[in-house]
Amino acid sequence: MKESFVSIENLDLKYQQKSVLTDLNWIINKGENYVLYGESGSGKTALAKIIAGLQNAIGDVKINFNAKSHLPEAVLFVESWYQFKNLEGVANFYYQQRYTSQQAKDTLTVHAELIHYGKEKGLHFDQVEPILEALNFSAFASSQLIELSSGEHKKLQLVKALWLKPQLLIIDQPYTGLDAASRKNLNVLLDEVSADGVQLLLICNDAELPTSINRFAEIVNEQIAISNSKAVQLVSNKKHTKEIPDFLKESPAFSSDNVVKMVNVNISYGEKQVLKNIKWEVKAGEKWLLQGHNGSGKSTLLSLINGDHPQSYANELYLFGNRRGSGESIWEIKQHIGLISPEFHWYFDANATVWQSIASGFYDTVGLFQQLPYTKSAQVDELTAYFGLTKSKNELLSTLPLGKQRLVLLARTIIKNPELLILDEPCQGLDQDQTEHFNHLVDELCSNGMTLIYVGHFESQLPTCLEKRILLEKGEVKVVESLNIEILS
């Protein structure tokens, strides 16, 4: 007879008077490793937090730990979104601070963070080293937490979880921000801890999963539907019949034929060289795919283009026809650019409303601090409707599911019909239909001549308009090539 490990009975969860989970019942038996999937906003993360004891709900949740196991009697929830703190225990950082932290030294290094975690949990440090190597994370030991990209932060949280090996390990979006090699190695590590007695609950819609996964659960209509195999998610045949707003059909006004030009660009932090002799030219109207392993230098490269990196002045870098440091301000640069990235999402003002968040894109601020003229207000309304966010326009950004938050920031990115669109893993947290919807929009925008730099690890989540690819490896340009659109699509 099967023995239950997690038992959930008559679970009800409401959020702002709206039912999310209703009379939900779910039994996870010992030895069952689950994937929990469903549409964005269906309640997956909320349910996981309830199981982990991090969120309250009406109902009964019992966990039957194995007292004879050598593993800790614990449930560990690894968030898709991780907020680190500085040495004073404060998480109040600003976006550009990541690139100036060498002067401040105000956060722990990765090594110090792991030492602290190991002492807190009573773990042996020699046991974490194989995990660091498997996830290609050993080289980040001396890096401060604030210097890490979203993918690198994800790796750090995964390293801790795999090191601790709790009896129940719940990971929200385990593959977000990870390159292909890291995703593969993570699955091997998850299979290893499963063989050692850890039960897994992964929240994701991904197809490449650990072989130890043997159960699937989907949240449908506020209930759990269970099967031994995942329902096939066919590519949506839904036609996106909404017409793109007229103000986004206009071709951007280019200030130069060369949007970006880098000549032997080098970026170093002390003795650590992050970018080495980068030569790259992006001409007006080109559509580029930027790729590379975690830690290859992609985020640093983009920070130079965004005007956020102070070392740009020490290099031969041209943006929109002007050499960097020739008198233009960071805000003058940002007027040409629409940007979305996981890191920017971290630092955005979550207490702004949906409407305010989108409108702030006109002024490149992290909140709306002035009243919009009628024409701009109308454009915000149009774009809010296009993304299906009209009903949520007065809600705080922080109250929305992660997928909808990302859609809001995507709308903010394009509101001013920028000369250059920089999309750094824009589909993180979106479900399949939202991803298709957004990439359809990107294709439409770029058909009007907009310049695009797109960062994406998953080839199934790329727009079809991409024409060229630049690949970074250990801070150097490894490949520059034209793309075969059919392969990518």
Side-chain angles (χ1 to χ4, degrees), residues 210-316:
T211 58
S212 54
I213 293 296
N214 51 25
R215 295 289 186 277
F216 297 85
E218 182 180 10
I219 297 182
V220 182
N221 298 325
E222 304 170 17
Q223 297 281 319
I224 281 283
I226 297 172
S227 66
N228 293 330
S229 61
K230 187 175 180 180
V232 177
Q233 285 191 308
L234 299 174
V235 175
S236 173
N237 291 319
K238 189 186 300 181
K239 300 297 182 183
H240 299 289
T241 54
K242 291 183 182 178
E243 188 174 352
I244 192 170
D246 287 340
F247 71 93
L248 291 178
K249 293 179 181 178
E250 300 175 6
S251 297
F254 290 109
S255 52
S256 171
D257 290 337
N258 286 330
V259 174
V260 178
K261 185 178 180 181
M262 298 183 179
V263 182
N264 296 325
V265 167
N266 292 276
I267 299 293
S268 296
Y269 301 128
E271 296 181 357
K272 181 181 179 182
Q273 191 164 7
V274 181
L275 294 179
K276 305 173 186 177
N277 299 320
I278 300 294
K279 296 178 182 178
W280 187 30
E281 188 172 351
V282 178
K283 294 183 178 180
E286 290 183 338
K287 286 82 178 171
W288 282 86
L289 174 64
L290 170 61
Q291 289 187 316
H293 294 306
N294 298 126
S296 61
K298 300 187 302 296
S299 295
T300 302
L301 187 71
L302 293 180
S303 72
L304 291 169
I305 300 172
N306 300 336
D308 291 321
H309 205 296
Q311 292 189 42
S312 60
Y313 298 105
N315 284 278
E316 189 174 351

Side-chain angles (χ1 to χ4, degrees), residues 31 33 69-72 76 127 131 135 158-171 185-202 210-213:
N33 293 314
S69 173
H70 65 286
L71 303 178
L76 179 63
Q127 295 175 337
I131 304 172
L135 289 178
L158 292 169
V159 166
K160 290 180 181 179
L162 294 163
W163 188 16
L164 178 64
K165 292 197 289 190
Q167 288 193 26
L168 178 57
L169 176 56
I170 306 174
I171 310 178
N185 290 342
L186 174 60
N187 283 341
V188 172
L189 291 169
L190 289 172
D191 283 335
E192 288 176 356
V193 297
S194 174
D196 198 24
V198 175
Q199 284 196 225
L200 303 172
L201 173 56
L202 308 182
T211 58
S212 54
I213 293 296

Side-chain angles (χ1 to χ4, degrees), residues 82 84-88 93 101 105-117 140-148 153 156 160:
Y82 176 69
F84 59 93
K85 298 180 180 179
N86 66 12
L87 296 176
E88 297 178 350
F93 299 103
S101 61
K105 297 291 184 185
D106 52 4
T107 58
L108 289 174
T109 64
V110 169
H111 181 76
E113 174 76 4
L114 291 174
I115 289 288
H116 174 75
Y117 186 77
F140 292 90
S142 62
S143 299
Q144 289 190 61
L145 299 184
I146 198 172
E147 296 170 347
L148 302 180
H153 268 292
L156 179 56
K160 290 180 181 179

